[in-house]
Amino acid sequence: MAMLEPSTEQPQTVLRAAPSAHRRRWHTLRKNRALVGGGSIVFVILFAAVFANELAPYSPNAQNYSAILQGITWQHWLGTDNLGRDTLARVLMGARTSMEVTLGAALVGLVIGVPVGIISGFYRGFLDDWLIMRIVDAIQSFPFLILALVLAAMLGPGIRNAMIAIGIGYIPVFVRTVRGQMIAESEKEYVLAARMTGARDWRIMFLHIFPNITTPLIVQVTLAAAGGIVAEASLSYLGLGAQPPTASWGSMLQVAQGYLNSAPLLAIVPGVCLVIAVLGFNLLGDGIQKLWDPKRTD
Amino acid sequence: MAYVAKRVLTTIPVLFILSVMVFSLIHLIPGDPAQVILGQDATPAALAALRAKLGLNENILAQYWNWLGHVVVGNLGNSLLDGESVSHLIFQRLPVTLELAIGTFIIALLIAFPLGILAAVYRGRWLDGTALFTATIGISVPPFWLGILLLLLFTVKIHLFPSSGYVPIWQNPGRNLSVMILPMLSTGFREAAVLMRMLRSTILEVLHEDYVRTAKAKGLNGWAIIVHHALRNALIPVMTMGGLQLAGLLGGLVITETIFSLPGFGSLLVQSVFSRDYTTVQGAALVAALAVILVNLIVDVLYGVVDPRIRLGKKAS
């Protein structure tokens, strides 16, 4: 506890209290290992995704037939694939594909899920009980990956459609989160106060309540992103996500499965990236949750 | 009973909405579905025939009504590929997926129960730390990559298990298990991690309850409390997992079956997607969703049986 820390300075003025409170907050932040670890991983992955072109030693699609299926070498730190493409360059590009689809999908889910959740939780009643929530139930009854697979199949393969398919899969979770928070907040005094001042419904919903429920939503988005990364890789593995020659961790694994005997490294590198990325988002979600509501985590 | 009735009643609109969604799937295809299915060089006659076969010429409400009438009696239409009945195709593939799901669940229970209990009992010690760390990793490892790793290790490096060649369990149980064990492990590990975390926190919660203190005061020893009190409560998260995780599991099985080339429900779905057999895709999606709805309904009803607090709580409120 920060309060028990031995203080090197004499407690002098009331003004001293400000930096100490700040330090205490900083201390809680640093002690939250999930937040620090997850946050760092997510930062590194986003950095790799944004600067993939600058960081990659080769072009991710440049083929070199004199260096196919290589292991770790000085020229190719993480080896090469069946077409002699540099694996390091391709996993960096894969990070971009993964983040693009996952964040795009989150956007799709948020744009639809948040307003629906807000309206549903604010007005409740018949519309909420018998229509909106039952639609959410119906979407949720599809296994996430099957929904993404079927939608991607109907819409056609490709990154954009994978984004839409995964984003639709996110809607139920986002609607439920926002709706639940909305119901809890609607009873609070500041909402009553806003009502008394004659504020319109939309103003109360979007300007008064919504800013107070963003933290649980951010937690859900972060955790959903972890699922989205796996979904993107799965769709690309099946050939419905990123199309060749675009690099994706999933499609790299699909290629690798054909060379397990001669080039096992090819199956390991994209998988490790995948695990680290999913772990990063899971940890970050847990960390934010812990920060926001320490009671719910032990 | 009122609890069960309400639960069943809320399922009806869900089923209706679900049917509309699955029906609409075929209309999501951009452009003319018949053209997409048959390809660019299809003759106008073939296109017209397929449109008639799919019922695309009628108005949309009539199409839905006809489709629903067939689905309700179990007729999911015919495969666009070879005209075989979709229900039959799915029914043929179900045993593989069912075996995989049951095996996954058994593996998850075998790993999660001992680890979850030990982690809770030795909370804060190295055992707990290791178990929690493993679980965090376990949740982050996509089952399909684990599957590829297991293939690499057990079939390519050491030739312990065959990589393919599925035979039904009733024909050759030994051979069947040797083919199924790797897929089961690859999906089971993740489920075990999820379940272990749930078990640990439930048991920790229970250990703080008043009735556990009473049991301690009566002089019951630690393990008796775990077995009589904590484990009974732990049934709830196990059932929750059975219900909630089923959806995730079914999705995961699709890709696991593809990796291990198992002739299950999931690989049927993937094959149909690639052969543009949209009626089979539609049927498979419907069956998957119905399975999830049904299992969740059963789980919710069973909650009341296992935990009287839920049943009575509902009545009191």
Side-chain angles (χ1 to χ4, degrees):
Chain A
M1 278 272 113
M3 277 177 358
L4 299 176
E5 273 181 0
S7 167
T8 50
E9 287 169 46
Q10 310 286 317
Q12 291 166 351
T13 53
V14 186
L15 280 173
R16 282 274 169 206
S20 130
H22 179 76
R23 201 180 305 152
R24 192 157 54 217
R25 203 173 301 143
W26 180 236
H27 185 73
T28 342
L29 269 182
R30 267 191 321 183
K31 257 185 60 184
N32 190 334
R33 279 187 295 179
L35 188 76
V36 175
S40 318
I41 295 176
V42 170
F43 177 77
V44 169
I45 288 174
L46 287 175
F47 188 82
V50 172
F51 296 104
N53 277 326
E54 287 72 19
L55 292 169
Y58 300 87
S59 154
N61 298 329
Q63 307 182 355
N64 178 0
Y65 286 100
S66 58
I68 58 165
L69 299 176
Q70 294 205 334
I72 295 172
T73 64
W74 278 112
Q75 283 77 39
H76 301 283
W77 293 1
L78 295 176
T80 58
D81 69 0
N82 56 324
L83 301 174
R85 295 177 294 193
D86 184 65
T87 303
L88 177 58
R90 288 186 73 72
V91 287
L92 283 170
M93 224 45 199
R96 176 176 292 183
T97 309
S98 181
M99 288 301 103
E100 228 174 72
V101 173
T102 305
L103 299 182
L107 203 65
V108 171
L110 286 173
V111 164
I112 303 173
V114 170
V116 171
I118 288 180
I119 291 167
S120 199
F122 189 78
Y123 290 112
R124 314 283 305 273
F126 182 83
L127 187 76
D128 169 52
D129 250 358
W130 290 99
L131 189 67
I132 296 180
M133 288 321 285
R134 301 293 79 87
I135 293 178
V136 167
D137 279 345
I139 300 179
Q140 215 162 20
S141 65
F142 288 105
F144 183 51
L145 207 58
I146 291 187
L147 182 67
L149 177 69
V150 169
L151 286 174
M154 295 296 173
L155 298 168
I159 285 186
R160 194 184 52 116
N161 289 340
M163 221 180 258
I164 297 173
I166 296 170
I168 292 176
Y170 283 159
I171 294 175
V173 187
F174 293 170
V175 170
R176 277 184 200 283
T177 308
V178 172
R179 174 180 175 272
Q181 294 294 324
M182 214 56 199
I183 293 173
E185 290 289 314
S186 302
E187 310 286 318
K188 294 203 174 155
E189 279 177 354
Y190 71 89
V191 178
L192 271 177
R195 258 190 224 286
M196 300 241 256
T197 61
R200 286 167 196 268
D201 283 358
W202 68 265
R203 208 182 155 80
I204 299 178
M205 284 188 272
F206 290 92
L207 296 181
H208 291 270
I209 307 183
F210 183 65
N212 288 314
I213 64 170
T214 44
T215 317
L217 187 61
I218 291 171
V219 172
Q220 284 309 323
V221 171
T222 317
L223 296 176
I229 293 170
V230 178
E232 185 276 325
S234 306
L235 288 181
S236 295
Y237 174 88
L238 293 173
L240 287 165
Q243 296 300 297
T246 307
S248 150
W249 296 336
S251 56
M252 290 176 75
L253 284 173
Q254 200 270 328
V255 170
Q257 213 185 335
Y259 302 94
L260 282 184
N261 207 4
S262 47
L265 193 64
L266 212 50
I268 292 171
V269 177
V272 170
C273 293
L274 204 52
V275 173
I276 292 175
V278 176
L279 183 67
F281 277 94
N282 274 335
L283 284 178
L284 184 63
D286 283 351
I288 301 174
Q289 166 100 45
K290 209 178 265 178
L291 199 65
W292 156 64
D293 186 5
K295 287 188 302 278
R296 280 182 55 185
T297 43
D298 56 271
Chain B
M1 228 44 228
Y3 165 60
V4 177
K6 182 169 183 238
R7 187 60 187 76
V8 173
L9 208 65
T10 51
T11 308
I12 294 170
V14 178
L15 287 176
F16 169 69
I17 295 165
L18 179 73
S19 70
V20 174
M21 281 180 182
V22 173
F23 166 77
S24 320
L25 275 179
I26 211 145
H27 296 275
L28 274 180
I29 304 172
D32 176 9
Q35 186 87 60
V36 173
I37 291 163
L38 292 177
Q40 287 306 317
D41 0 290
T43 61
L47 287 176
L50 183 63
R51 270 189 220 113
K53 189 177 156 196
L54 292 174
L56 292 174
N57 298 325
E58 292 170 70
N59 85 44
I60 193 110
L61 280 177
Q63 282 183 44
Y64 172 70
W65 192 244
N66 283 337
W67 177 80
L68 192 66
H70 287 130
V71 166
V72 167
V73 294
N75 176 4
L76 297 172
N78 296 318
S79 160
L80 293 176
L81 214 57
D82 49 15
E84 214 183 319
S85 142
V86 172
S87 340
H88 183 67
L89 277 173
I90 293 174
F91 193 70
Q92 265 181 336
R93 301 288 196 110
L94 273 184
V96 182
T97 306
L98 211 61
E99 189 191 340
L100 199 51
I102 293 172
T104 301
F105 205 70
I106 292 175
I107 286 174
L109 289 178
L110 286 180
I111 300 176
F113 252 87
L115 275 185
I117 294 172
L118 287 174
V121 172
Y122 296 104
R123 181 186 184 185
R125 306 268 198 67
W126 66 268
L127 188 76
D128 182 28
T130 316
L132 272 184
F133 180 74
T134 316
T136 311
I137 300 286
I139 286 173
S140 306
V141 176
F144 81 99
W145 184 55
L146 188 60
I148 293 176
L149 278 190
L150 290 173
L151 269 179
L152 176 64
L153 194 65
F154 289 108
T155 69
V156 177
K157 293 293 165 198
I158 43 174
H159 306 274
L160 197 61
F161 298 112
S163 65
S164 59
Y166 171 85
V167 284
I169 193 162
W170 53 89
Q171 273 177 25
N172 185 346
R175 166 93 191 158
N176 171 278
L177 271 183
S178 73
V179 174
M180 295 294 271
I181 188 77
L182 291 184
M184 285 171 181
L185 277 175
S186 70
T187 44
F189 189 57
R190 188 180 186 280
E191 302 305 316
V194 176
L195 181 61
M196 193 233 113
R197 296 220 300 197
M198 270 201 259
L199 268 172
R200 176 181 174 275
S201 58
T202 316
I203 294 176
L204 281 179
E205 233 166 73
V206 172
L207 292 181
H208 286 122
E209 295 280 349
D210 285 345
Y211 59 80
V212 169
R213 201 170 44 199
T214 311
K216 271 187 200 153
K218 280 195 324 195
L220 275 180
N221 72 31
W223 287 106
I225 293 173
I226 297 281
V227 172
H228 292 295
H229 295 286
L231 279 186
R232 170 147 190 171
N233 284 283
L235 274 176
I236 301 281
V238 174
M239 279 166 37
T240 311
M241 183 184 115
L244 283 179
Q245 293 294 105
L246 180 80
L249 184 62
L250 265 181
L253 291 183
V254 168
I255 189 153
T256 310
E257 285 174 7
T258 309
I259 284 172
F260 290 95
S261 29
L262 296 173
F265 173 79
S267 50
L268 172 73
L269 181 60
V270 174
Q271 284 159 14
S272 321
V273 161
F274 282 101
S275 52
R276 297 195 178 143
D277 184 354
Y278 292 111
T279 44
T280 309
V281 172
Q282 211 177 16
L286 184 69
V287 169
L290 284 179
V292 172
I293 291 179
L294 187 70
V295 170
N296 279 321
L297 184 65
I298 295 173
V299 167
D300 278 357
V301 171
L302 279 182
Y303 271 158
V305 179
V306 175
D307 192 343
R309 282 171 303 189
I310 291 176
R311 196 173 54 221
L312 299 173
K314 291 279 168 189
K315 250 180 212 164
S317 60

